[in-house]
Amino acid sequence: MSLPTNTNNTLTYDSQAGGWPSFYSYFPDWMIGMNNYFYSFKEGNLYRHNTNEVRNNFYGVQYTSTVQSVFNEGPLENKLFKTINIEGDSAWGVTLQTDIQDSGFIEAGWFEEKEASFYAFVRNSGTVPAQTSEYVLRSLNGIGSSETITGAADTINFSTDIELDTMMSVGDMMYYINSLSNTPTLAGQIEIININLQSGVNQVTIDTSVSGSVPIAGQEIFFFYIKNSVAESHGVLGHYCVFDIVNTSTEKINLFTVESEVMKSYP
């Protein structure tokens, strides 16, 4: 568990565990235990703790519960962390970060409860335009060079010899290699995929109004696309995965284990 920087926290000691297991967000001026009760002072006021059913409320401020840990089995292998399984009585929001990606997440409402456990697929927020680190991911697929660009530079025509990938979907982001800078550049978001090979039609129409897109200059340009990272996430890729789970409940909740379905990634 990492301690937030530039933040006052209270560190707790567990005599049975013989260690320091947790941080608390509240920061009292003084603490004392007396007659089996725990008291603290804050700004001249005396507080007795554990006196009601509202959890994570200190000095009138409501906090969230956060747990950070790491999946680190087989640290020399590159893996895809595809799911999160939570054994407990409540779903938690999850963010995931690996040594390769830092954009994995699951909202608490996406979990499905099955036999007292909660399951959900890891989504990948990604960025638009994509960052350099995203170009190595499985969600990127090459198409080939265009023949012509028509319309308001929004309809890309390909040779019928190029088989437009059946994995391509409306909503994916289309990129091209900018001939001036020789760098990947966002062209827009795919709106229409029009294939009629008998009539010589093999084209993709894009929405060029997407923030960050750059008008296409030229005709014979190499294109590729990146899948919608939230709707069709492959998980997060890395050798290990640091995850944070967050719960905003004000009631008592139990958390027993957090697991992930992991698949070895092959180049």
Side-chain angles (χ1 to χ4, degrees), residues 141-186:
N141 294 276
I143 301 174
S145 296
S146 59
E147 286 192 332
T148 58
I149 312 294
T150 58
D154 60 359
T155 300
I156 307 162
N157 300 284
F158 295 95
S159 166
T160 54
D161 294 332
I162 293 179
E163 181 178 352
L164 294 182
D165 196 331
T166 55
M167 292 292 291
M168 183 189 298
S169 305
V170 171
D172 296 341
M173 293 295 173
M174 183 76 90
Y175 290 79
Y176 65 96
I177 301 300
N178 191 313
S179 59
L180 297 178
S181 60
N182 198 33
T183 57
T185 304
L186 176 64

Side-chain angles (χ1 to χ4, degrees), residues 65-112:
S65 296
T66 303
V67 178
Q68 184 183 85
S69 189
V70 60
F71 299 123
N72 196 31
E73 185 176 355
L76 298 181
E77 295 180 348
N78 217 9
K79 299 173 288 293
L80 282 169
F81 299 87
K82 299 180 67 65
T83 67
I84 290 292
N85 311 326
I86 295 177
E87 186 176 343
D89 54 15
S90 177
W92 296 57
V94 185
T95 57
L96 305 96
Q97 178 178 351
T98 72
D99 54 319
I100 297 176
Q101 288 183 269
D102 60 0
S103 54
F105 73 102
I106 306 173
E107 294 183 6
W110 293 347
F111 280 89
E112 295 288 341

